[in-house]
């Protein structure tokens, strides 16, 4: 009898072990998450150096993209403490998705035909416009054509600076640096004349307490930048993220995120775009 009891206990343990293994996995809605049960994780790529959009601070992570990513993650079944944040520099985003380093990327990631060859996009979730940031005391740049023969800075992998050179100021002297923060330092030190990227990003920089009054936006609205959430090509996360984005707009969380992150800079945002409505 004693031997039977031991055998029954052992069998029960084996069954429990098998059941726990089968029920672990990636957490249902998750594609590419790790861990099991309460330890499941989702890895999200964001910018670390874009105030108002995506920024890493001693207090954590903040910005509009971060708020969007948190909302989407929650709809996918993840709490904030189950999110692993990874820096997604402009030049690295496609590679990070293709390698599976992240589950999705929300990093001021403009949807373009060229990028769509490599990755899929959910969204768009924000329509921004390319603009320039110049020193407040510099009145020499009043239109995009004034960027000819000026030192124009942007980041490697971004479409912004090349857009200006190809379409608006062919004689602009391009300087590509690893981060927008590096460009901003150059602008402040007068080693560059203008920083170009999306107006949402520029507004975030200009509104920082230590930069107030030092820079100004050109207000040129040179291009439409349709921010999308990048996923690996063929991933079924695309449809799930689109559903989450629609819910974010419907319950007014999108409006709240815009106000919280861009309001201090008096940023005049476009209305929330409809899923799939990409402005050329």
């Amino acid at each position: 009898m004693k031997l039977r009891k031991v055998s029954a206990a052992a069998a029960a343990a084996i069954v429990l072990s098998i059941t726990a293994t089968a029920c672990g996995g990636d957490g249902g809605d998750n594609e590419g998450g790790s861990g099991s049960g309460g330890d499941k994780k989702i890895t999200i790529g964001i910018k670390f150096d874009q105030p108002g959009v995506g920024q890493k601070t001693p207090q954590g992570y903040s910005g509009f993209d971060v708020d969007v990513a948190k909302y989407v993650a929650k709809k996918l079944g993840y709490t904030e403490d189950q999110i692993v944040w990874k820096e997604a520099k402009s030049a690295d985003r496609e590679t990070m998705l293709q390698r599976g380093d992240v589950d999705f990327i929300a990093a001021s990631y403009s949807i373009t035909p060229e990028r769509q060859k490599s990755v899929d996009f959910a969204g768009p979730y924000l329509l921004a416009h390319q603009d320039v940031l110049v020193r407040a005391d510099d009145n020499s740049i009043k239109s995009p054509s004034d960027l000819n023969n000026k030192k124009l800075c942007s980041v490697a992998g971004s479409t912004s600076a090349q857009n200006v050179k190809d379409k608006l100021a062919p004689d602009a002297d391009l300087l590509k640096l690893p981060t927008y923060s590096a460009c901003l330092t150059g602008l402040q030190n007068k080693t560059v004349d203008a920083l170009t990227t999306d107006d949402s990003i520029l507004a975030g920089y200009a509104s920082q307490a230590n930069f107030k009054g030092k820079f100004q936006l050109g207000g040129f609205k040179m291009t439409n930048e349709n921010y999308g959430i990048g996923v690996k090509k063929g991933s079924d996360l695309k449809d799930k993220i689109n559903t989450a984005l629609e819910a974010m707009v419907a319950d007014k969380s999108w409006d709240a995120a815009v106000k919280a992150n861009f309001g201090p800079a008096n940023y005049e945002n476009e209305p929330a775009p409809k899923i799939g409505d990409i402005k050329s």
Side-chain angles (χ1 to χ4, degrees):
M1 181 64 69
K2 187 173 183 180
L3 285 175
R4 285 201 194 106
K5 286 183 179 179
V6 172
S7 298
I14 292 170
V15 170
L16 286 173
S17 176
I18 293 172
T19 302
T21 301
C23 292
D26 58 17
D29 279 340
N30 175 39
E31 175 177 319
S34 59
S36 62
D39 296 327
K40 67 178 183 178
K41 300 289 183 182
I42 187 166
T43 305
I44 304 172
I46 58 169
K47 289 296 179 69
F48 278 14
D49 69 332
Q50 292 180 352
V53 179
Q55 186 178 29
K56 182 180 181 181
T57 71
Q59 293 74 41
Y61 301 90
S62 64
F64 181 72
D65 282 352
V66 175
D67 288 345
V68 170
K70 287 179 180 177
Y71 188 98
V72 169
K74 184 176 180 180
K75 288 294 185 180
L76 293 176
Y78 296 89
T79 59
E80 287 189 25
D81 61 357
Q82 291 174 325
I83 298 174
V84 177
W85 300 106
K86 278 196 175 183
E87 184 174 19
K89 293 182 179 179
S90 294
D92 299 335
R93 291 176 297 200
E94 285 83 56
T95 302
M96 291 176 72
L97 288 168
Q98 291 168 340
R99 286 193 313 222
D101 296 340
V102 292
D103 293 298
F104 67 80
I105 289 178
S108 55
Y109 203 1
S110 296
I111 302 171
T112 68
E114 187 63 29
R115 288 170 178 164
Q116 287 176 307
K117 295 176 183 178
S118 303
V119 301
D120 285 339
F121 286 96
Y125 63 90
L126 181 72
L127 176 60
H129 302 284
Q130 187 180 343
D131 203 349
V132 297
L133 192 68
V134 299
R135 290 181 292 276
D137 60 358
D138 185 356
N139 297 315
S140 66
I141 302 175
K142 297 179 180 179
S143 69
S145 62
D146 291 331
L147 294 168
N148 281 309
N149 300 314
K150 296 284 189 179
K151 292 182 179 178
L152 179 65
C153 190
S154 193
V155 300
S158 170
T159 59
S160 300
Q162 199 62 48
N163 281 341
V164 173
K165 190 169 180 67
D166 289 346
K167 302 173 184 178
L168 302 167
D171 294 326
D173 183 9
L174 295 188
L175 176 64
K176 295 183 179 181
L177 297 179
T179 64
Y180 291 110
S181 295
C183 284
L184 196 69
T185 298
L187 184 61
Q188 190 173 19
N189 295 338
K190 299 185 177 182
T191 56
V192 299
D193 299 305
L195 161 58
T196 185
T197 187
D198 306 343
D199 51 10
S200 56
I201 299 170
L202 297 175
Y205 280 119
S207 66
Q208 291 182 98
N210 55 322
F211 290 139
K212 281 185 178 178
K214 294 183 179 181
F215 305 112
Q216 59 182 342
L217 283 163
F220 300 153
K221 292 191 175 181
M222 295 180 282
T223 64
N224 292 326
E225 302 297 332
N226 302 273
Y227 285 7
I229 292 181
V231 297
K232 191 172 184 178
K233 199 76 174 173
S235 171
D236 64 4
L237 274 182
K238 176 181 174 178
D239 291 339
K240 296 173 185 177
I241 292 172
N242 278 334
T243 299
L245 293 175
E246 289 174 333
M248 188 176 188
V249 173
D251 68 14
K252 305 299 183 183
S253 296
W254 188 91
D255 295 306
V258 168
K259 184 177 181 180
N261 292 290
F262 300 134
N266 296 316
Y267 173 65
E268 297 182 3
N269 65 283
E270 301 280 2
K274 293 183 178 180
I275 298 301
D277 184 13
I278 300 173
K279 304 294 186 184
S280 58

